[in-house]
Amino acid sequence: MHRTGELYGHFETLEQQKETATLGMWVFLVTEVLFFGGLFMTYTINRHAFSTAFGVGSNTLDLTLGGGNTVVLILSSLTMAMAVWSAQVGKVGWFGIFGKVRWVSIFLIATLVLGTVFLGVKVVEYKQKFDHHLVPGRGFDIRYRSEHPTASDNPKEIAAEKEELEKAFAKDPDINAHAQLYFSLYFGMTGLHALHMIVGAGLLLWLIKGSFAGRFTPQYNTPVEVVGLYWHFVDIVWIYLFPLLYLIDRHQ
Amino acid sequence: MSEHIVSPKVYIVIFLALMVGTTATVWAAYQNFGQFNIVIALAIATFKATLVVLYFMHARYSPKRTQLVIVCSVFWLAIMLAMTLTDYDTRTPRDSRLAPPAISHLFRA
């Protein structure tokens, strides 16, 4: 296959080549929508059937960490969009000791850093769930945290949690089993989302390498645009996951 | 090249709108709207997702055939959700349609 610069032989123009690539990416994202859609449907059916257990499970999540992560992820979408813009206009600037640097590199690195922060916070949240015996399986015990408070726990919070659990057990005696469905979906959905973030981080590393080599110019920046589409899609999944997992039953 | 370049100003305005949406969804979750809590949460999330698709993902400035693919994804998702949920909602006998299966014997008390 012959190739002139970045233009492959079977395309007439770079513009046609770019439109083809973004269309292909969108077709892939359609399959991703249906892939995550199946999980959201499973969530809907189970939440409807076991609303008490889902409410109790949701209230164990840390809203500060989850909300903070939402801000971090949306900010990373902004830096990704700015990376696309920097590549499109070919902006170059001086960055102190680093000398002349392309802005696209700066914004791609910022996106990677924010994505890594998101995954780091997710690790802290998962660790809490392991500590509180909230991982589905034999050791699962929804009462564990309220019965084994540590010195750092607020006694008022623990008392409130105990009361909430008592009411929940009165409504649904099998809540210890049903809450495991909530946590299976929590780990499954956030885990699959995190896996997409890890793939995205790998793609970003590849882009950063290319941007330092000066591969992305106002004439040719399709890889930045296409990875951008993927990154924003992962952001959209989180935009739905956040209220559905963290905010089910906060008003009680 | 007739490529449309979205300016940083637009990106920043969209980012701020997404932040307002995030704050609104947390605020709404603490209010008791009864059955409408979930409706409000999903409406805000859909509004945010639409902003991301239109501006961050440049759907507004994309060719018509790309826009058609995007609309199709929502349409197929709607088919999957509507058909499956209709099935769940009309199972007979009706008392078993969404009844929790008896699983308590599988777990220790």
Side-chain angles (χ1 to χ4, degrees), chain A residues 15 18 48 138 174 225 240, chain B residues 2-3 46 98 104 108:
Chain A
E15 193 185 355
K18 184 173 187 174
H48 185 80
R138 280 192 78 74
D174 284 342
E225 170 81 21
Y240 280 97
Chain B
S2 63
E3 181 183 55
T46 304
L98 275 177
S104 54
R108 291 168 299 171

Side-chain angles (χ1 to χ4, degrees), chain A residues 15 18 26 30 37-38 41 45 48 50 63 75 78 81 85 88 138 174 177 180 225 229 232 236 240 251, chain B residues 2-3 5-6 8 11 15 29-32 37 46 53 57-58 66 73 80 84 88 98 100 104 107-108:
Chain A
E15 193 185 355
K18 184 173 187 174
W26 270 109
V30 171
M41 196 176 63
I45 290 164
H48 185 80
F50 310 109
L63 195 52
L75 195 58
L78 175 66
W85 172 78
Q88 284 172 338
R138 280 192 78 74
D174 284 342
Q180 292 190 49
E225 170 81 21
L229 288 178
H232 298 311
I236 289 175
Y240 280 97
H251 58 273
Chain B
S2 63
E3 181 183 55
I5 297 178
V6 183
Y11 287 144
F15 169 74
Y30 279 97
Q31 315 303 314
N32 191 356
N37 272 68
T46 304
V53 169
M57 299 170 91
H58 310 145
T66 307
S73 81
M80 179 168 75
T84 314
Y88 263 89
L98 275 177
S104 54
F107 299 92
R108 291 168 299 171

Side-chain angles (χ1 to χ4, degrees), chain A residues 171-218:
Chain A
K171 267 195 207 162
D172 177 2
D174 284 342
I175 202 158
N176 210 38
H178 298 153
Q180 292 190 49
L181 275 169
Y182 170 79
F183 281 100
S184 299
L185 283 164
Y186 168 75
F187 281 108
M189 292 170 94
T190 60
L192 199 62
H193 178 264
L195 189 65
H196 278 76
M197 298 274 303
I198 292 166
V199 171
L203 291 168
L204 279 169
L205 280 174
W206 169 68
L207 285 185
I208 290 165
K209 190 167 161 262
S211 78
F212 278 116
R215 220 184 129 206
F216 309 125
T217 60

Side-chain angles (χ1 to χ4, degrees), chain A residues 5-186:
Chain A
E6 295 290 358
L7 181 66
Y8 283 85
H10 51 297
F11 293 111
E12 297 268 327
T13 61
L14 278 169
E15 193 185 355
Q16 185 203 17
Q17 178 176 281
K18 184 173 187 174
E19 277 181 14
T20 311
T22 48
L23 182 68
M25 191 63 196
W26 270 109
V27 170
F28 168 67
L29 291 181
V30 171
T31 70
E32 289 272 82
V33 166
L34 295 175
F35 179 42
F36 277 98
L39 280 168
F40 279 107
M41 196 176 63
T42 312
Y43 165 92
T44 307
I45 290 164
N46 282 294
R47 173 174 166 174
H48 185 80
F50 310 109
S51 51
T52 312
F54 271 54
V56 167
S58 170
N59 284 348
T60 67
L61 299 187
D62 190 324
L63 195 52
T64 318
L65 292 179
N69 246 355
T70 308
V71 174
V72 167
L73 200 61
I74 294 176
L75 195 58
S76 84
S77 256
L78 175 66
T79 57
M80 188 74 224
M82 289 301 290
V84 172
W85 172 78
S86 311
Q88 284 172 338
V89 297
K91 200 145 171 83
V92 179
W94 289 87
F95 282 86
I97 53 162
F98 299 107
K100 227 173 101 176
V101 182
R102 290 177 192 86
W103 278 38
V104 56
S105 307
I106 302 294
F107 280 119
L108 287 173
I109 291 170
T111 310
L112 180 62
V113 168
L114 290 165
T116 313
V117 168
F118 179 93
L119 287 170
V121 171
K122 212 72 221 143
V123 169
V124 173
E125 288 190 81
Y126 278 10
K127 163 89 169 47
Q128 280 182 358
K129 295 290 154 273
F130 276 83
D131 287 346
H132 296 154
H133 286 231
L134 290 175
V135 179
R138 280 192 78 74
F140 187 91
D141 183 4
I142 189 86
R143 282 201 183 97
Y144 186 87
R145 185 176 174 228
S146 58
E147 283 170 0
H148 304 80
T150 57
S152 59
D153 284 329
N154 180 356
K156 257 190 193 162
E157 220 176 89
I158 295 294
E161 194 178 320
K162 244 188 185 145
E163 202 192 316
E164 188 197 352
L165 281 171
E166 253 169 53
K167 276 187 198 157
F169 269 97
K171 267 195 207 162
D172 177 2
D174 284 342
I175 202 158
N176 210 38
H178 298 153
Q180 292 190 49
L181 275 169
Y182 170 79
F183 281 100
S184 299
L185 283 164
Y186 168 75

Side-chain angles (χ1 to χ4, degrees), chain B residues 3-59:
Chain B
E3 181 183 55
H4 187 282
I5 297 178
V6 183
S7 88
K9 265 189 212 148
V10 173
Y11 287 144
I12 287 166
V13 169
I14 296 302
F15 169 74
L16 292 175
L18 291 173
M19 286 294 106
V20 171
T22 306
T23 315
T25 200
V26 174
W27 174 82
Y30 279 97
Q31 315 303 314
N32 191 356
F33 296 117
Q35 282 192 316
F36 289 99
N37 272 68
I38 177 67
V39 179
I40 292 167
L42 284 175
I44 296 174
T46 304
F47 176 68
K48 285 164 75 185
T50 310
L51 286 182
V52 173
V53 169
L54 284 179
Y55 295 95
F56 281 179
M57 299 170 91
H58 310 145

